Amino acid sequence: MKTLQDIRRDLHRIPELGFEEVKTQSYLLEQISTLPQDRLTITTWKTGIVVKIEGTEPTQTIGWRTDIDGLPITEVTGLSFESSHPGKMHACGHDVHMTVALGLLRKLVENPIKDHAVILFQPAEESPGGALPMREWLKEEQQALVPDKIFAFHVAPEFPVGTVATRPGLLFANTSELFIDVIGKEGHAAFPHQAKDMSVAAATLLLQLQTIVSRSVNPMDPAVLTIGKFTSGTVQNIISGHARLEGTIRTMDAGTMTIIKEKIEAFCRAAEIAFECSVQINYGSSYYQVKNDEILANEFLAFAKAHPATNAILCDAAMTGEDFGYFLQEIPGLLFWAGVESPYGLHHPKLSPDEAVIDYLVPFVDSYFRKISS
Ligand SMILES: CC(=O)N[C@@H](CCC[C@H](N)C(=O)O)C(=O)O
């Protein structure tokens, strides 16, 4: 049987984007097949997997969810096991998340708990979002696999291994992707009056969008609008006829998302008039906020405080998004951060989580499952 470190490294080599996790799914299935199968039910959904471990005296089903997708980032860690998929990287720690889930599965198979457990290997957390359709599929077609409580963690580069952090209630923001195409008229660089320059239109629009949070949102209400990508034109001496802005909107209050979208639309209509162009907005996918169950989160923090070699922190909410929020919308549970100390943050091409988190977290989660299993 492979070590968990080897598994993490194998998974790190094969990052795949949302709903394309074909190699990842077959690697996970292979690992799951090496375990004794008598208590297991294995079900696949798209590129995801759900494994049920039958409990010894069940009164409920306890769920653990891991995401399985990577990001469209070129890795520059220089690690011996770096990504073998050009332009793709596990830069959000999902390779570590999957390995901890497999480690927990091994523990639950070796020594079953009283309750049933389900481990959800969920595709497409980064985009376009696998949690909502997976939740709906479970409800409609796999009632026996729907957990009564559900838990997940996310790697946290800012904390050392042994730190776990969470909070009761709101933990992560509501999100919406944002894609804006600005379409004008290409032309010769020397004749700007005959063209409709979309570099200038989109640059102006980008700066105007950056006034929305500061001027239209209550300063006591956290919100973020980030444009992460700006593309325009074809070559240095041709006026660009097409520019594209790609970004994301984050709000703690769902109503604030509506205010921001209305202002985006107003600025886009204004750009159409001022720059004589057409502006098309596409909001891509949106995620529901991550709201932890108050009682479970307090109990979890008390459990963590008493756990050996653990620094339990009551942390602040963050403007991160996580489609795990869709599970928590209907099932009580929580998400927590687990330290993986790295000088580089999430989504950075040099992110290299400390693998020691795996050997720390697997027994930690296993003993938490035993504690909450009736
Ligand atoms: C934990 C984390 O980093 N999650 C992502 C989720 C992205 C959601 C969506 N693609 C968006 O960009 O709005 C994050 O960026 O927070």
Side-chain angles (χ1 to χ4, degrees):
M1 193 178 278
K2 281 190 184 244
T3 66
L4 291 179
Q5 186 191 61
D6 284 344
I7 288 176
R8 184 262 156 162
R9 293 179 177 199
D10 288 347
L11 288 166
H12 188 82
R13 284 190 189 95
I14 55 163
E16 295 165 295
L17 302 184
F19 290 125
E20 294 172 7
E21 305 97 331
V22 177
K23 284 191 202 168
T24 306
Q25 184 190 46
S26 82
Y27 182 88
L28 292 169
L29 286 169
E30 196 183 307
Q31 293 309 313
I32 296 163
S33 74
T34 65
L35 300 170
Q37 300 289 301
D38 43 314
R39 302 194 88 87
L40 298 187
T41 312
I42 302 159
T43 312
T44 59
W45 171 79
K46 297 184 187 282
T47 46
I49 307 167
V50 183
V51 185
K52 181 169 184 176
I53 310 107
E54 203 181 309
T56 54
E57 297 167 48
T59 61
Q60 61 175 341
T61 301
I62 306 175
W64 180 260
R65 172 274 202 174
T66 174
D67 34 22
I68 69 169
D69 55 320
L71 280 157
I73 291 178
T74 300
E75 177 166 354
V76 286
T77 58
L79 291 167
S80 59
F81 54 90
E82 76 179 3
S83 170
S84 64
H85 291 175
K88 293 175 196 157
M89 177 187 175
H90 272 300
C92 203
H94 299 189
D95 50 341
V96 175
H97 299 176
M98 287 185 270
T99 309
V100 169
L102 281 173
L104 176 64
L105 176 56
R106 281 184 181 177
K107 292 265 189 200
L108 296 174
V109 169
E110 276 161 22
N111 183 12
I113 57 174
K114 284 187 180 172
D115 286 322
H116 296 314
V118 287
I119 311 243
L120 308 176
F121 294 89
Q122 178 222 299
E125 185 275 329
E126 297 293 351
S127 190
L132 180 59
M134 191 179 212
R135 183 192 80 183
E136 294 306 292
W137 162 75
L138 285 169
K139 271 166 51 185
E140 282 158 27
E141 296 179 35
Q142 301 288 339
Q143 263 299 325
L145 300 179
V146 176
D148 298 296
K149 293 182 183 127
I150 190 159
F151 303 91
F153 87 103
H154 203 290
V155 297
E158 65 273 33
F159 298 130
V161 171
T163 296
V164 294
T166 192
R167 61 180 293 106
L170 200 57
L171 182 72
F172 288 176
N174 298 279
T175 72
S176 172
E177 294 177 345
L178 174 63
F179 302 97
I180 303 177
D181 285 290
V182 192
I183 301 146
K185 187 176 165 205
E186 210 171 63
H188 192 289
F191 305 101
H193 56 297
Q194 292 170 2
K196 304 292 173 207
D197 187 343
M198 292 304 102
S199 290
V200 174
T204 305
L205 182 57
L206 189 155
L207 292 178
Q208 288 172 331
L209 296 182
Q210 289 308 321
T211 67
I212 297 176
V213 171
S214 71
R215 300 295 91 188
S216 302
V217 174
N218 182 336
M220 305 310 287
D221 179 11
V224 172
L225 194 168
T226 291
I227 299 297
K229 188 171 176 185
F230 179 165
T231 46
S232 185
T234 50
V235 70
Q236 136 278 343
N237 62 348
I238 296 177
I239 289 171
S240 167
H242 180 200
R244 183 170 163 88
L245 304 176
E246 301 183 25
T248 178
I249 314 164
R250 310 290 167 98
T251 68
M252 283 302 183
D253 182 83
T256 309
M257 184 65 80
T258 309
I259 294 173
I260 293 177
K261 287 185 174 175
E262 282 169 5
K263 292 303 285 185
I264 290 170
E265 285 151 27
F267 279 123
C268 289
R269 298 294 79 84
E272 284 186 322
I273 296 164
F275 293 98
E276 299 174 60
C277 61
S278 152
V279 182
Q280 289 159 13
I281 305 170
N282 175 353
Y283 289 115
S285 58
S286 57
Y287 295 173
Y288 188 69
Q289 63 196 22
V290 171
K291 194 167 181 196
N292 286 338
D293 183 85
E294 303 260 347
I295 296 169
L296 287 172
N298 281 319
E299 286 172 359
F300 174 84
L301 282 166
F303 166 84
K305 277 193 180 108
H307 199 268
T310 298
N311 179 26
I313 293 179
L314 174 66
C315 64
D316 290 333
M319 300 308 283
T320 336
E322 241 286 1
D323 66 350
F324 184 61
Y326 285 117
F327 286 113
L328 293 181
Q329 191 180 20
E330 298 199 345
I331 303 168
L334 64 91
L335 184 141
F336 65 94
W337 295 108
V340 291
E341 192 157 34
S342 160
Y344 303 102
L346 299 177
H347 296 193
H348 195 285
K350 288 187 178 174
L351 173 74
S352 178
D354 183 347
E355 289 176 329
V357 72
I358 297 165
D359 286 343
Y360 161 73
L361 209 54
V362 170
F364 173 91
V365 178
D366 178 57
S367 55
Y368 180 63
F369 266 49
R370 280 169 212 288
K371 179 170 169 51
I372 61 174
S373 179
S374 40

